[in-house]
Amino acid sequence: MTMNRQWTLIAPVVLIAVVAVGLSACHRDPRAASQAAMQRAQQYVSADNYKAAIIEYRNAVQADPRNGDARYQLSIAYEKTRDTTNAFREAVRAADLLPERDDVQLRAINFLLLARRFEEARTRAQTVIARDPRNVQAQLALGSALAGLKDLEGAVAEIQQALAIDPERSGTYANLGALEAARGNMPAAEKAFKEAVTKAPTSPTVRVALAQFYWLSGRQADAEQVLKDALTLAPADPAVNRLMALLYEASNRHAEAEPFLKAAANAPHAADSKLALVDFYLASNRYAEASAILQPLRTDPAFATRAQLRAAEIERRQGRGDAALQLVADLLKREPRNVDVLLAHALLLQQKGDSAGALADANQAIAADPTSAPAQFVKGRVLVALRRPDDARQAFNETLRLNPRAAAAEVELARLQLQRGTPDTAVAFAGHAVKLDPRSAEAKLVFARALRARGDYTQAEGVLRGLVDAIPQSAAVHAEMGLLSAARKRSAEARAEFETAVKLEPLQLDAVGGLLALDLSENKRESARQRIDALVASASGNSAVLTMAAKTYLLLGDPTKVEPLLTRAIAADGNNLAAYGLLGQFYVTQKRLPDAQREFETLAQRQSPATMALTMVGILQQMRGQKAEAQKTFERVMSLDGHAAVAANNLAWLYCENGGNLDMALQLAQTAKAAMPEQAEVDDTLGWVYYRKDLLPLAITSLKSSVDHDPKNAVAQYHLGLAYVRAGDKTRAKGALQAALRLQPDFDGAADAARILATL
């Protein structure tokens, strides 16, 4: 007997995965599903199968994101497999969810110490000690945290590098003033600094040391007064003037910083201070003044490279990208291993659309200095542009390993987690980025977006309200506020926010998409049509706009315009994966399977990893009867991602039906089951493999589960009937086979079912 049912059942899992998840969630108790997954995980742990346990613990977390014990056990399982990055993340999230569990807190504290997040480790350790003063492990952890916090010079250096990674987004030394690095015996430390001032009352150096102590202890007003005293002693001292300027910049008092930067720049042999003044002018868009200072420095051998890099930045900001690239290319010829030059060249190439060249530059920078956090960050940005999210995540994680205070890397990781559909992790990354850089609007916006995705609407609104007050002209902020209002079913508020966003920025596509969704939900079809037509007319070469228009026409029930729009979208941007995927799905609905297969094959060549596209290719090959080709395609998918559930399910079926290795089929079916435990088709595949291996009790259990999840599936009823026949249970066999024929008299296997029924 031949079974051709599998592709017809599993294809919708891929094509409408979002809908399927949404619907299934309505019919399950999340906590019960989470506990069931934990029980399965613990069985794997007992057998020392931590990789399988990780899958089940992740299922538990997915079912109930607030299951702190599941996250705690998941952290342990990750550590067993030496995945310390994920072990760290889950340990901290578990500690947030289980604040009363000392063992959970201590695990998080140890990871925080390894990551040099001493302040957070100190706070958690003190909380444990407050509950249990005799907890020796907590006392030791507190000592380690306090020791780490005394590294003032290292703390400042890390923050300066974090800001150098992404100065435009993070702001100028925004979180230096908030750093409380010198915890421990504060009174004794302050007394020692003051005694030094008493013994050397005319020395500006000892006053600077006292000012730094105050600043890094969070006492900015005291630091400011001490620096003023130092300047009365040495008004032209470049170090004191630059520190005073830095203090004002950190307090967002930029106008007050300028005189001190100028004073430092006017001192003899003050080229470094002149470059600091240039950076100040760049941040203020005062390019003429910056260029005037740079001109003589570009002929000074000691400062020529840094001066020319800033000159190139001025050209870039004024829209002269080719001139900027030429200046940096000239430097690169002279200094091919200079990390700063390589990274500047990479960013300019990326701006021109040459992401491959940019990646080559970033890799050369890393080869020149493997400890460079900025090089890893630039590499991550380029990999995002190349649509290589897994590689980008690795680069951003490496950035954080090299500099745990690189807030911009946390923001990028949060974005990637949102794209991945894991809002809990996105909240963790973005929330920590906000702590590292409390004045970063970008970090707060991504944090609000992650909170909305997780369903924390009240907290998200609080963050967004603050952003609206701070930057009322931000289209992105208004668009996100509109999306939040829409999620809360406040249609009028959502529409008002979206309208504000598109007035500020007509191509704010989140806002445009929100307005289109509102139009369609309110049956304002003509309004939606006019809106998208106007947008296409104003941005006819914008690939994202063309893709949005195609989706809109699909929803409007006008398929004639879909293919031309998507073809134009792909022509405008050959890397528009959404356009390829939508075109392939459109061809499926139009029963143009060869065209669909071609589009997904093209998508697989451009996508990294190509798991989704290749899975669709395999499904389409099955639909076209190309079983051997489908098997090879699914095998390729599994080589790329050993947990690809749909491919695992379909490959297991093909092995089972076409004389393949049944042990391998069983392993694949179990992989699919771990990832999709409530999917009827997966239970059917697993049960059928057990049936072929003559493991009848297991076969009946799985097949019964399939029928329970989808009682109207004739093929599943037929398979269950066959299992009952072989087990000798004629009554149940007869019931299942009769149900199969009643549901669908002409299904594949119907003749065999009728023949067997006649013998019962």
Side-chain angles (χ1 to χ4, degrees):
M1 55 191 168
T2 58
M3 291 294 106
N4 296 320
R5 69 91 178 99
Q6 200 65 20
W7 59 262
T8 62
L9 297 172
I10 205 66
V13 175
V14 177
L15 295 175
I16 55 171
V18 175
V19 176
V21 170
L23 292 175
S24 64
C26 297
H27 299 287
R28 299 211 314 270
D29 179 353
R31 292 186 178 178
S34 184
Q35 290 301 319
M38 283 193 69
Q39 290 174 6
R40 294 193 295 270
Q42 286 158 6
Q43 290 175 358
Y44 285 123
V45 168
S46 299
D48 290 331
N49 187 351
Y50 288 99
K51 290 185 177 180
I54 285 171
I55 294 172
E56 291 295 350
Y57 282 132
R58 286 169 60 185
N59 288 336
V61 168
Q62 185 176 2
D64 181 6
R66 298 189 179 280
N67 187 335
D69 193 54
R71 293 190 180 280
Y72 177 66
Q73 298 297 337
L74 178 56
S75 172
I76 294 172
Y78 274 132
E79 189 175 23
K80 291 287 186 180
T81 61
R82 299 186 180 181
D83 185 351
T84 53
T85 299
N86 280 316
F88 174 29
R89 303 292 176 199
E90 293 300 332
V92 173
R93 281 180 282 177
D96 289 339
L97 292 166
L98 300 170
E100 302 299 320
R101 284 267 301 272
D102 289 353
D103 58 333
V104 178
Q105 296 302 317
L106 286 167
R107 180 174 182 80
I109 290 166
N110 287 331
F111 275 110
L112 289 165
L113 290 172
L114 289 172
R116 301 182 67 197
R117 284 163 56 174
F118 301 116
E119 177 60 28
E120 190 174 348
R122 178 193 66 82
T123 301
R124 290 184 186 274
Q126 288 178 330
T127 302
V128 174
I129 291 169
R131 274 199 305 269
D132 180 10
R134 298 175 64 83
N135 191 314
V136 176
Q137 287 182 295
Q139 293 284 0
L140 291 173
L142 178 60
S144 297
L146 292 174
L149 286 170
K150 292 176 184 177
D151 182 13
L152 304 185
E153 183 178 353
V156 173
E158 284 183 348
I159 288 176
Q160 288 174 330
Q161 186 189 66
L163 295 166
I165 285 173
D166 194 11
E168 292 181 359
R169 183 175 296 170
S170 298
T172 307
Y173 300 97
N175 60 350
L176 270 174
L179 177 65
E180 295 178 8
R183 298 290 175 151
N185 195 343
M186 297 286 285
E190 183 176 2
K191 181 180 179 182
F193 280 120
K194 285 183 173 180
E195 286 179 355
V197 171
T198 300
K199 292 179 180 178
T202 61
S203 169
T205 302
V206 294
R207 292 180 188 271
V208 166
L210 177 58
Q212 287 176 320
F213 169 78
Y214 282 143
W215 188 1
L216 295 171
S217 302
R219 296 165 61 180
Q220 286 190 330
D222 290 335
E224 182 180 352
Q225 185 56 55
V226 172
L227 286 175
K228 286 179 178 178
D229 294 342
L231 284 169
T232 61
L233 298 171
D237 187 300
V240 181
N241 277 286
R242 283 185 64 183
L243 188 59
M244 180 64 93
L246 192 61
L247 180 70
Y248 284 136
E249 287 185 87
S251 307
N252 201 26
R253 296 158 65 184
H254 299 288
E256 294 176 69
E258 185 174 0
F260 298 99
L261 286 170
K262 283 183 174 179
N266 289 331
H269 312 294
D272 278 316
S273 296
K274 292 182 189 298
L275 288 175
L277 182 58
V278 167
D279 291 338
F280 176 83
Y281 287 143
L282 283 174
S284 307
N285 298 325
R286 294 160 64 178
Y287 303 131
E289 291 163 279
S291 296
I293 298 172
L294 285 174
Q295 198 58 41
L297 291 176
R298 291 173 67 180
T299 61
D300 184 333
F303 297 93
T305 297
R306 283 181 280 170
Q308 188 151 321
L309 285 174
R310 286 167 172 79
E313 176 63 10
I314 291 172
E315 296 288 347
R316 184 190 73 81
R317 292 191 183 197
Q318 294 185 309
R320 297 189 288 269
D322 289 339
L325 188 59
Q326 186 58 55
L327 286 173
V328 177
D330 291 342
L331 285 175
L332 199 56
K333 291 176 184 176
R334 298 198 301 267
E335 302 179 63
R337 291 183 58 80
N338 185 308
V339 172
D340 292 335
V341 175
L342 283 164
L343 295 182
H345 197 253
L347 292 172
L348 288 166
L349 287 180
Q350 186 179 2
Q351 186 175 340
K352 287 177 66 69
D354 183 5
S355 294
L359 182 59
D361 282 340
N363 283 329
Q364 287 187 47
I366 292 168
D369 182 5
T371 67
S372 171
Q376 289 288 350
F377 181 79
V378 170
K379 180 179 180 179
R381 281 274 187 85
V382 174
L383 288 166
V384 168
L386 288 168
R387 281 136 169 127
R388 293 168 55 182
D390 290 340
D391 293 334
R393 273 191 290 273
Q394 184 176 348
F396 292 133
N397 280 321
E398 183 64 12
T399 304
L400 289 170
R401 187 187 69 80
L402 294 168
N403 184 353
R405 293 185 176 91
E410 300 250 31
V411 172
E412 295 296 339
L413 283 167
R415 280 200 180 93
L416 289 169
Q417 292 298 333
L418 280 174
Q419 293 172 10
R420 200 178 191 182
T422 52
D424 283 326
T425 310
V427 167
F429 278 122
H432 192 250
V434 171
K435 289 180 182 178
L436 289 174
D437 190 358
R439 296 178 52 186
S440 169
E442 191 70 20
K444 290 179 180 178
L445 181 58
V446 175
F447 185 42
R449 190 170 295 148
L451 288 168
R452 171 176 61 81
R454 194 171 74 174
D456 291 347
Y457 297 153
T458 301
Q459 188 179 357
E461 183 173 5
V463 175
L464 288 172
R465 292 291 179 201
L467 284 173
V468 169
D469 292 341
I471 44 176
Q473 299 303 305
S474 169
V477 171
H478 285 288
E480 181 56 35
M481 186 67 87
L483 292 171
L484 177 62
S485 297
R488 304 180 87 170
K489 311 299 183 186
R490 300 173 180 174
S491 299
E493 294 177 23
R495 187 176 288 277
E497 292 290 350
F498 290 143
E499 294 286 6
T500 300
V502 296
K503 285 178 184 177
L504 292 167
E505 185 182 321
L507 286 180
Q508 217 304 322
L509 295 188
D510 283 339
V512 174
L515 287 169
L516 288 168
L518 288 173
D519 287 342
L520 292 168
S521 68
E522 296 167 7
N523 204 29
K524 298 178 179 178
R525 300 170 66 83
E526 189 56 33
S527 175
R529 189 184 301 273
Q530 291 175 2
R531 191 184 304 279
I532 198 62
D533 284 347
L535 190 65
V536 170
S538 65
S540 59
N542 187 308
S543 185
V545 167
L546 293 166
T547 304
M548 179 177 286
K551 290 180 181 178
T552 302
Y553 277 110
L554 272 176
L555 293 171
L556 287 169
D558 186 355
T560 59
K561 294 186 178 182
V562 173
E563 185 175 3
L565 285 166
L566 291 174
T567 302
R568 287 168 58 191
I570 291 168
D573 179 6
N575 291 321
N576 186 335
L577 304 185
Y580 280 108
L582 189 60
L583 184 58
Q585 293 185 31
F586 174 72
Y587 286 145
V588 170
T589 62
Q590 297 292 305
K591 295 183 169 55
R592 295 166 58 183
L593 299 187
D595 291 336
Q597 185 173 327
R598 183 186 67 250
E599 292 303 325
F600 280 111
E601 285 171 347
T602 303
L603 178 59
Q605 293 173 2
R606 297 176 181 273
Q607 190 183 47
S608 179
T611 307
M612 182 276 290
L614 285 173
T615 299
M616 279 305 307
V617 170
I619 290 170
L620 290 164
Q621 287 168 335
Q622 280 184 285
M623 294 171 75
R624 299 177 68 191
Q626 300 171 348
K627 295 182 180 179
E629 293 84 347
Q631 180 172 316
K632 290 180 181 178
T633 300
F634 289 134
E635 286 172 343
R636 183 180 170 193
V637 173
M638 297 308 297
S639 71
L640 294 172
D641 181 359
H643 301 292
V646 175
N649 178 80
N650 288 19
L651 185 55
W653 180 262
L654 287 169
Y655 282 160
C656 198
E657 286 299 280
N658 300 322
N661 186 323
L662 289 179
D663 290 334
M664 181 60 71
L666 179 57
Q667 182 178 337
L668 289 163
Q670 289 171 334
T671 296
K673 173 67 175 177
M676 298 189 292
E678 305 297 327
Q679 199 71 37
E681 295 84 355
V682 172
D683 278 327
D684 184 50
T685 299
L686 180 58
W688 194 241
V689 175
Y690 282 137
Y691 175 82
R692 287 296 182 90
K693 288 177 68 67
D694 208 27
L695 299 171
L696 295 180
L698 293 172
I700 290 171
T701 298
S702 294
L703 293 169
K704 182 70 167 56
S705 176
S706 178
V707 169
D708 289 344
H709 282 104
D710 187 7
K712 294 185 179 181
N713 188 315
V715 173
Q717 292 278 9
Y718 167 59
H719 288 165
L720 180 58
L722 293 180
Y724 280 139
V725 169
R726 188 175 291 183
D729 190 339
K730 293 185 178 182
T731 301
R732 287 190 174 90
K734 187 175 181 180
L737 293 173
Q738 287 175 337
L741 291 168
R742 184 172 59 252
L743 288 166
Q744 187 180 343
D746 60 346
F747 73 92
D748 267 354
D752 189 55
R755 178 186 61 78
I756 295 172
L757 261 176
T759 67
L760 295 177

